[in-house]
Amino acid sequence: MELPLTVETAVLGRYSAASKAVEPALCCPVSYDRKFLEVLPAELIERDYGCGDPSRFVRTGEVVLDLGSGGGKICYIASQIVGPRGRVIGIDMNDDMLSLARKFQREIAASIGWDNVTFHKGRIQNLSQSLEEPERTEPLIATGSIDVVLSNCVLNLVHEADRQQLFREVFRVLRPSGRAVISDIVSNQPVPAKLKADPTLWSGCISGAFEEPEFMKAFSAVGFKNVQLVSRQEEPWTVVEGIEFRSVTVQATIAEGCCGDLEKCC
């Protein structure tokens, strides 16, 4: 039976298709450190749909959580950065994307010399619940267990009604010294209801975009400190009905004293 078209089913359908054939419209051009791409199969690189590189803020030995991990590209980059003492967890609700991410896990682990990545099926707005283990009693991601939460062009795909819970969950799972580094699409003015009602524009990372000031406020509203814009596209990625949509990367910390210079604080 065909599911009714909602934000979630539109996103599931489009990204399932994008796991099997490249869809350039789903991503902004992003430059990654090529040394981390050498061990990745072309299939993973080509079917990555991001708008930034939050992995460049990861440090050796950390526990990393990637929200909406898709084909696993950011997870496998982070795996190389954190090294064998670190750990990387990917969360995605799309079976086809999870299959793509897991397909090359042994091959990549053999190439880099360690296997520290795990993928789980779940909704990023509810990090307690596993969609693969419904009988699970303990939270999928424990409170205060993560050093850094990453996400790359995924938060805008979550329904607006679930976004406050999403930010609360990100805050919940972080350690007291933890931080979130999120790349996403923002708009320069409110997106009208008629565009939000278009499932194609929503699943294409456009009509679900946060208005830029509201995106920054969403971190502070749940308790994050030192919310910083660390990267912002000068030129818009796209313009729809006069509204500019561009990629930004935001870093936000749990502790009051943390700042962008991670060698001196946090």
Side-chain angles (χ1 to χ4, degrees):
M1 182 177 67
E2 187 174 348
L3 295 173
L5 190 59
T6 64
V7 166
E8 186 167 302
T9 56
V11 170
L12 279 171
R14 190 160 187 183
Y15 279 81
S16 288
S19 72
K20 299 165 186 172
V22 178
E23 187 174 347
L26 285 179
C27 57
C28 302
V30 180
S31 295
Y32 297 92
D33 190 328
R34 294 194 62 81
K35 70 182 179 184
F36 296 125
L37 303 182
E38 290 175 358
V39 299
L40 303 188
E43 192 174 340
L44 288 190
I45 296 172
E46 293 166 356
R47 298 176 194 178
D48 170 66
Y49 304 104
C51 61
D53 182 14
S55 68
R56 66 189 181 93
F57 295 90
V58 172
R59 295 177 290 181
T60 302
E62 292 190 312
V63 178
V64 177
L65 174 65
D66 182 21
L67 304 181
S69 49
K73 180 177 174 180
I74 290 290
C75 288
Y76 290 123
I77 291 174
S79 170
Q80 297 172 73
I81 298 171
V82 301
R85 293 187 298 108
R87 191 158 56 93
V88 181
I89 304 163
I91 302 287
D92 206 284
M93 68 173 183
N94 190 301
D95 289 319
D96 292 311
M97 280 294 183
L98 286 167
S99 294
L100 177 62
R102 290 165 173 164
K103 178 179 178 181
F104 298 102
Q105 188 165 353
R106 288 186 181 180
E107 175 184 327
I108 294 170
S111 295
I112 67 176
W114 55 82
D115 185 0
N116 60 356
V117 180
T118 56
F119 295 100
H120 298 283
K121 184 177 181 181
R123 293 183 175 87
I124 63 173
Q125 63 268 37
N126 184 359
L127 296 172
S128 292
Q129 182 184 22
S130 169
L131 296 181
E132 290 175 309
E133 305 170 273
E135 72 287 350
R136 186 185 181 112
T137 55
E138 71 274 17
L140 180 60
I141 307 297
T143 299
S145 63
I146 303 297
D147 292 307
V148 55
V149 172
L150 308 179
S151 186
N152 193 1
C153 207
V154 176
L155 270 57
N156 68 82
L157 297 173
V158 175
H159 195 286
E160 288 176 304
D162 296 325
R163 289 184 177 177
Q164 186 176 29
Q165 179 185 352
L166 166 60
F167 280 90
R168 285 199 303 263
E169 281 288 88
V170 174
F171 191 88
R172 175 185 69 81
V173 301
L174 282 168
R175 291 173 175 161
S177 60
R179 64 199 184 280
V181 185
I182 308 296
S183 297
D184 222 292
I185 298 295
V186 298
S187 63
N188 69 333
Q189 56 184 289
V191 179
K194 67 174 183 177
L195 294 185
K196 290 182 179 181
D198 185 328
T200 301
L201 287 177
W202 193 290
S203 63
C205 301
I206 295 175
S207 60
F210 294 80
E211 190 179 0
E212 189 168 337
E214 299 307 311
F215 188 47
M216 306 292 284
K217 289 177 184 176
F219 291 91
S220 300
V222 298
F224 279 103
K225 312 297 181 185
N226 299 306
V227 182
Q228 300 178 347
L229 192 64
V230 295
S231 177
R232 183 180 187 272
Q233 278 185 325
E234 288 189 19
E235 296 299 319
W237 168 48
T238 191
V239 178
V240 179
E241 296 193 6
I243 303 171
E244 296 180 357
F245 297 87
R246 58 173 40 83
S247 168
V248 299
T249 299
V250 171
Q251 178 177 253
T253 63
I254 295 285
E256 183 73 53
C258 284
C259 62
D261 189 344
L262 297 177
E263 296 301 319
K264 296 181 179 179
C265 53
C266 297

